[in-house]
Amino acid sequence: MGHDLVRIGGEPASFSGRVLRMRDPKSAWQCVLIAWGDRYPVSEINRLVASVRSQSKGPARFVLLSDRERPGLDPGVELRDIPAWFLVPDLRGPGCQAKLCLFEPGVVPADMPAIYIDLDTIVFGDLSRLVQLMESPQTIAILQSAILPFGAFARWLYRVTDKRRYARGNSSVVVYHPAHATYIAKRFRELVAQHGIAAFRPLWADERFISWVAQPVMRAVPGTLVVKFPTEYMQPWRWLVHLRARLPWIRRRRDGLIAVTFPGVKLKGEDLAALPEGAVVTDRKGRRLFWTDRALGSLRRKIIDFYGTSSAPQ
């Protein structure tokens, strides 16, 4: 079936509605991905799209924000330009501030909620469940990453400290409505022009800035649905990894996960899938991965199965 490639540069695009008419408008959502540079081949992007499509109720649309054409991209994915302003080298460094293009007006269609996921994510459940985290169209949900949790106390602390103290999260997954979050990109542009990135702490990383500027409407994506692989499965000590894997409440929670995200090219899921059983990998924080069923439970087989499958047809 044919596919109309949508290419925009910051202006809203028109859509035929062909896909949306197949969905209940009240439950429709879109899956958004970002790729710049050549670290992730099209085959990996297509594999992730195919997994989301087969596991989830919906989505009504897939959108890939990119800095270039992606020959061989799944024909069901709409390719859209990342605005040039976000592609300067300073915004594509470790802070990944270029990811804030998610909130630039007109970049992501504004007609339905969006679930953004990093390309280094393995999906084995229904992502549409994340849309239910939105208490209102203004809600933004990301993974929890700091000790202070999102919630009433964090919002109070944010107010009484004049925004100096706040809960922070991780943007490997972002649930939001593009029509109600454009203030994030607007405020980011204003503060970069005013301070520069280095001079103002909330500007140091995309997830830090999202947490800071949207603190009053932030929610956590619960660890019962999505986790970061290093945080959940890696520890400096073998005994602690094995103990956690044996605890029945942790094992039940892990078995119910719908997605796991990896920390990018330094520890990619496909590299894990190729490891010999029993291999040990240590990250820069001294946390160790033990590539065994005893340490990882059912996840090890899921990773092998996911990365052992071919990508979507090209």
Side-chain angles (χ1 to χ4, degrees):
M1 184 167 57
H3 167 245
D4 295 327
L5 182 66
V6 177
R7 202 85 158 95
I8 68 170
E11 294 297 327
S14 61
F15 297 92
S16 66
R18 172 178 58 83
V19 177
L20 292 181
R21 284 196 292 270
M22 298 171 62
R23 309 291 183 193
D24 177 358
K26 294 181 180 179
S27 62
W29 61 280
Q30 54 190 322
C31 181
V32 184
L33 310 169
I34 296 179
W36 62 73
D38 56 5
R39 294 191 303 175
Y40 293 93
V42 167
S43 60
E44 290 189 31
I45 299 172
N46 288 347
R47 178 168 48 201
L48 178 58
V49 168
S51 178
V52 174
R53 184 184 287 132
S54 66
Q55 300 281 350
S56 302
K57 297 176 182 177
R61 178 188 298 128
F62 286 88
V63 176
L64 175 65
L65 308 183
S66 177
D67 62 344
R68 64 192 67 190
E69 297 289 341
R70 302 281 170 176
L73 184 66
D74 184 311
V77 179
E78 295 179 3
L79 184 65
R80 291 175 164 247
D81 283 327
I82 298 173
W85 190 88
F86 289 94
L87 291 173
V88 297
D90 285 349
L91 301 185
R92 290 186 288 117
C96 288
Q97 294 92 336
K99 193 186 292 186
L100 295 171
C101 69
L102 287 169
F103 308 105
E104 184 78 358
V107 172
V108 176
D111 56 345
M112 66 181 75
I115 300 174
Y116 164 81
I117 55 174
D118 277 353
L119 294 179
D120 49 4
T121 302
I122 177 173
V123 176
F124 35 77
D126 182 4
L127 281 185
S128 71
R129 295 172 62 187
L130 299 181
V131 180
Q132 305 309 312
L133 299 173
M134 300 188 70
E135 297 173 331
S136 74
Q138 289 74 34
T139 298
I140 298 174
I142 63 179
L143 299 176
Q144 188 76 52
S145 68
I147 296 176
L148 178 64
F150 293 118
F153 178 75
R155 292 191 293 270
W156 173 83
L157 190 62
Y158 179 74
R159 292 194 301 270
V160 300
T161 63
D162 192 25
K163 304 181 181 181
R164 291 190 299 273
R165 298 288 184 270
Y166 54 96
R168 299 201 309 273
N170 179 278
S171 62
S172 295
V173 175
V174 183
V175 185
Y176 73 110
H177 199 302
H180 298 275
T182 56
Y183 66 91
I184 295 177
K186 180 177 183 293
R187 187 65 175 140
F188 180 72
R189 283 176 175 262
E190 292 172 350
L191 289 172
V192 169
Q194 181 179 352
H195 299 283
I197 292 174
F200 188 52
R201 188 181 295 267
L203 300 177
W204 289 1
D206 69 295
E207 51 209 13
R208 182 184 288 267
F209 186 76
I210 296 168
S211 300
W212 176 79
V213 75
Q215 185 73 192
V217 294
M218 294 297 300
R219 283 200 66 185
V221 173
T224 54
L225 295 179
V226 184
V227 295
K228 290 284 288 183
F229 181 85
T231 303
E232 179 65 32
Y233 293 95
M234 298 176 67
Q235 297 288 340
W237 309 283
R238 186 188 300 265
W239 67 265
L240 183 55
V241 170
H242 290 163
L243 174 63
R244 284 174 53 81
R246 289 176 57 189
L247 294 174
W249 58 91
I250 291 181
R251 189 166 61 247
R252 286 194 298 269
R253 178 175 59 80
R254 289 177 174 179
D255 287 342
L257 292 172
I258 62 174
V260 173
T261 70
F262 297 94
V265 294
K266 295 181 180 179
L267 187 63
K268 295 178 70 172
E270 63 180 349
D271 295 328
L272 297 183
L275 288 174
E277 184 173 2
V280 179
V281 177
T282 304
D283 71 4
R284 61 182 179 83
K285 295 183 179 181
R287 297 174 297 192
R288 292 195 291 171
L289 156 70
F290 302 95
W291 187 242
T292 65
D293 291 338
R294 181 182 177 189
L296 300 176
S298 62
L299 180 64
R300 193 175 83 93
R301 175 48 54 185
K302 290 176 180 177
I303 292 173
I304 293 172
D305 290 345
F306 180 79
Y307 290 101
T309 58
S310 60
S311 62
Q314 300 187 25

